[in-house]
Structures are given as structure tokens and as C-alpha cells.
Amino acid sequence: MGKNAIVGQSGGPTSVINASLAGVFESCKSRGADIVYGMCNGVAGLLEERVVDLSTLLTDDLDIELLKRTPSSFLGSCRYKLPDWHTDEAVYKKLFAILEKLDIGYFFYIGGNDSMDTIGKLAEYGECIQSDIRFMGVPKTIDNDLMVTDHTPGYGSAAKYIGVVMKEIIRDATVYGIKYVTVVEIMGRNAGWLTAAAALAKSDDCEGVDMICLPEVPFNVEHFIEKVRVMQEKKPSIVIAVSEGVKLEDGRYVCELADDVHAVDAFGHKALTGTARYLANVVARNLDTKTRCIELSTLQRCAGHLTSRTDITEAYQVGGAAAKAAFEGVTGQMVALKRISNSPYQCTTELHPISEVANLEKKVPLSWMNENHTQMTEDFLAYARPLIQAELTPLYIAGLPHHIYMKPQK
């Protein structure tokens, strides 16, 4: 069996994905891996044999601490879809030849739904050709839409950022005392976990958002306008959190009503943007009120200064748990987080077959919304609050957070 390990990062980054990389790296080294390679830009880079020896980049404890505190994907990422090996075996033969040349025994991929699909295909092909390489999935996504895991590393920090920003937006929106509608667009294609996190803003010092719109609930533009009109009869300034992926009853995304051009990625996902802008314009045309739209966009996933210590700790843990399982002979599985209790918050790890995760989506339970589907209930808040607790302060130099990054490989 190969003596070396290799790890890659895929899909959209998070502010704690590098903590999982640190967990994989340190656990593999402590368990006897000779070399821990990193794929530059995931499987796409591996196919071009663009790999690095992580020991040459992470040389001491300070590098590891900086890595944990650095947002985005240290190794670079990709959105590469592996073909079905039954119809295009050449790609797999090439990949496994590269892995054999590198003497790889353990393969780790940090990512979301599509990344778990990659792990599943590689593990299946490996079993078919009787390869002894262990393939393990390490969960990551701010969308929190992976099945079997209580939550995903990356979500807690994004939820913390959203809760903080919404409190600040609410304070800003009320200063003029005039009719004002602020529509805040939050990431979430088919699952509204991130937008639901806007509910965290409500506290003793903040009245919270006035409406939450999730993709799980069919959207009606006319009903939306009427709800805003009724709300403004009671208070002039309204702040609304809306998922970028809210859909009409016929399945079209609301943002498509704006007639903007929406590109499609390698997985067939349509780029979503403009939902808040469209709704703010519609409200302005139909009601006597000022409006504005705010898109949190990539800030939700790269705000390293607002990471949750809980999130970073768990991201590191799932990386280490994946390495432990692989060195114990496990393959074709993903590490999941299992919540033991809310108060006190306790969480452990467990393993699940990739088939229970890949190409599936976990939605927000509608039972966690009120009857009007405009606010989150206490059940959701009890679920989300532990995930945003505590902070891991960045290392500041000259007043700005200091990061570690990998210079482009030639």
C-alpha cells in the first residue's frame, strides 16, 4: 500500500476550510505518512500533476495556526465534474496512474455535495480495479445542505457573519425615520440555511429582521408586496432577508424575472444574482417607499475576521477524523458531525457511506418556520446559536489580519 497521502479542496471556499486541511495534514503526519501532498486546484489540478509537498509549505506551528485563521482555499479550488467511469474510463486510468506514481495510499477531498460525488466515483472505481487507496470525504460548505451531518464546517462562521451584519444593517436602516425597505440577498440555491441565520440578529438590543424568505417556500411576488405594505403600516423601516434561490411556484428563480444573463457552471448550476435588486425595484414601483438592495455575496464565506471558534475547532476535527479512519482502512465514506446535546453544546464525529451524501440536499425543515413562513422559530435558533459561539482572533500585523497563502505554482 502507498505510504503517502494527498488532499484537495473543491467547490466554494469557506472561512474555515483550511482548518480541515490542517487537521488532515497533522493527523496524516502523526500516523506515519511519509509525504502529504496537496492538490493545486483540486482534482482538476491533479489531472495536470500540479501537486505540492505540504511539509515544505507548512514548516512549523505558526504556519498551522495561520492556516487555521486564513479564509478561502489554501490549495486553490475547482468546480470539476468527474465523468462516469463506465463511459469515460480514460480519466480514471490517468488519475490512478498519477496516484501510483506519487505512491498514494490515502486520498482526502474537502468539499460539499459535488466533491462527495467525486469521492464516491473514485472509491467505486478503486474497488473495481482492486486498488488499496483509501478515499475519504471531508465535509465543507457554508450552505449547510449536506445530508447525514448535523451541520457542516463553514456554516457556523457564515451564520455568525450574517447575524452580525444583519444587526448592523438594521441599526443603519432606522436612522431616518422615513419609509424604507432594505432587501438583503443571502446565499442559498435550494436550501435556506444561510438566510435563516438572519434570525440570529434578534436579541435584547435588536428587533431583528422583519421577514425571512427561504427557497423551501414557493415565492409569490404579489403576496410579497402586500406583506411589505402591511408591515409598513406599523413601522416605516423594513429589513428583509431573502435567499438568492427563492423560486416561483412554477420553479423559476425570482432573479430570472430581471432578465439578467445567468451563466451555468460545470455541474449545471445556474449563477444566481439580482434577487434583492429585482425585489427592491418591484417594491419601489408598487409602494410609496424608498428601497435599497444589499448583496452579501462572497463576503459570507471569506470573512475570516468573524469566524466562529466552534466552527474552526470542528473543521479541524473532521479533517483529523477522516485521516484516522483512512489509516484504519476505511474508504468511500464521509465524516459527519453528530450533535449530542444543545445545552451544554456537545458534538462528536461519525462516518457515513458517500452514497448517503452525494448529490442529495438537506433542506430547512418548514416546522422551524412560523405559520406564515416569514420567521424562524426557537427550534432553529436553538440549533444555530451553539454554532456561532466564541472567536478565534486573527493574528494582526500593521492593523490588518495576517494570512498564509501559497504562491502560484509554475
Side-chain angles (χ1 to χ4, degrees):
M1 183 171 186
K3 298 178 181 179
N4 302 326
I6 192 165
V7 55
Q9 298 169 309
S10 181
T14 80
S15 63
V16 301
I17 186 174
N18 290 327
S20 291
L21 176 62
V24 170
F25 172 72
E26 291 204 304
S27 187
C28 284
K29 293 299 289 184
S30 68
R31 293 177 184 277
D34 289 346
I35 301 174
V36 181
Y37 289 104
M39 309 171 211
C40 299
N41 301 109
V43 170
L46 180 59
L47 280 166
E48 298 172 356
E49 299 190 50
R50 292 189 288 113
V51 300
V52 292
D53 179 351
L54 286 174
S55 294
T56 67
L57 303 175
L58 307 172
T59 58
D60 54 31
D61 290 342
L62 177 58
D63 285 342
I64 294 296
E65 287 305 311
L66 281 174
L67 187 64
K68 291 178 182 178
R69 291 166 167 82
T70 296
S72 190
S73 304
F74 176 74
L75 292 170
S77 188
C78 69
R79 292 194 184 277
Y80 176 81
K81 184 174 181 64
L82 270 179
D84 190 318
W85 66 267
H86 294 94
T87 57
D88 191 355
E89 192 176 3
V91 172
Y92 292 82
K93 287 182 176 179
K94 182 177 181 180
L95 274 174
F96 276 77
I98 293 170
L99 296 177
E100 183 178 352
K101 184 165 75 171
L102 296 173
D103 196 25
I104 300 298
Y106 313 94
F107 184 109
F108 305 94
Y109 216 34
I110 308 170
N113 277 316
D114 298 323
S115 302
M116 295 309 115
D117 178 64
T118 295
I119 282 290
K121 288 175 177 176
L122 290 172
E124 183 182 344
Y125 185 76
E127 181 181 8
C128 178
I129 64 172
Q130 297 184 315
S131 168
D132 56 8
I133 300 174
R134 310 303 183 196
F135 294 92
M136 289 296 299
V138 183
K140 168 265 1 166
T141 177
I142 65 169
D143 292 320
N144 199 39
D145 60 353
L146 291 186
M147 299 294 289
V148 307
T149 187
D150 177 81
H151 56 281
T152 53
Y155 174 67
S157 294
K160 186 184 187 80
Y161 174 83
I162 290 165
V164 168
V165 169
M166 294 307 299
K167 287 190 72 170
E168 295 169 343
I169 289 173
I170 290 166
R171 292 276 61 79
D172 182 88
T174 58
V175 298
Y176 296 113
I178 61 174
K179 282 190 173 184
Y180 214 137
V181 176
T182 303
V183 186
V184 184
E185 181 177 320
I186 299 173
M187 283 182 175
R189 177 176 300 275
N190 298 315
W193 295 100
L194 286 169
T195 306
L200 293 165
K202 187 174 184 178
S203 54
D204 292 341
D205 63 335
C206 182
E207 57 271 44
V209 297
D210 298 285
M211 192 191 315
I212 292 174
C213 304
L214 306 187
E216 286 83 353
V217 181
F219 193 89
N220 184 292
V221 176
E222 288 73 24
H223 292 171
F224 173 79
I225 296 170
E226 178 61 16
K227 287 178 182 177
V228 172
R229 186 191 66 76
V230 171
M231 285 179 177
Q232 282 196 312
E233 290 179 351
K234 298 179 180 178
K235 55 180 292 194
S237 181
I238 303 296
V239 178
I240 299 166
V242 58
S243 289
E244 63 182 359
V246 287
K247 302 181 190 70
L248 304 172
E249 290 186 354
D250 62 11
R252 286 179 298 159
Y253 291 109
V254 170
C255 63
E256 294 182 78
L257 299 178
D259 293 327
D260 292 342
V261 175
H262 297 276
V264 176
D265 68 14
F267 293 91
H269 303 322
K270 185 176 294 185
L272 303 180
T273 185
T275 302
R277 183 173 65 253
Y278 172 77
L279 291 176
N281 289 340
V282 166
V283 169
R285 284 197 300 268
N286 286 272
L287 302 177
D288 179 24
T289 182
K290 288 182 176 290
T291 65
R292 65 173 172 177
C293 64
I294 299 172
E295 291 186 18
L296 301 188
S297 190
T298 53
L299 294 172
Q300 296 156 93
R301 70 189 193 196
C302 67
H305 61 291
L306 275 177
T307 50
S308 150
R309 182 184 284 269
T310 297
D311 199 18
I312 287 182
T313 300
E314 292 178 342
Y316 183 84
Q317 288 175 339
V318 295
K324 176 180 183 293
F327 275 77
E328 292 174 354
V330 176
T331 189
Q333 307 236 348
M334 185 192 82
V335 177
L337 291 165
K338 180 180 181 181
R339 188 177 307 215
I340 298 171
S341 67
N342 276 339
S343 183
Y345 175 66
Q346 291 180 299
C347 198
T348 187
T349 60
E350 60 185 6
L351 300 175
H352 285 269
I354 288 292
S355 60
E356 296 180 7
V357 186
N359 302 311
L360 300 171
E361 285 182 314
K362 180 177 69 178
K363 304 292 184 68
V364 177
L366 291 184
S367 61
W368 283 4
M369 298 195 78
N370 63 3
E371 291 184 3
N372 295 329
H373 295 153
T374 57
Q375 295 287 350
M376 307 311 298
T377 66
E378 187 59 38
D379 287 339
F380 170 78
L381 295 173
Y383 166 84
R385 281 180 180 138
L387 310 184
I388 68 171
Q389 296 306 310
E391 295 76 37
L392 189 65
T393 306
L395 301 177
Y396 283 90
I397 295 179
L400 296 174
H402 190 61
H403 297 151
I404 185 173
Y405 77 102
M406 185 171 63
K407 295 180 180 179
Q409 302 295 301
K410 296 182 179 179

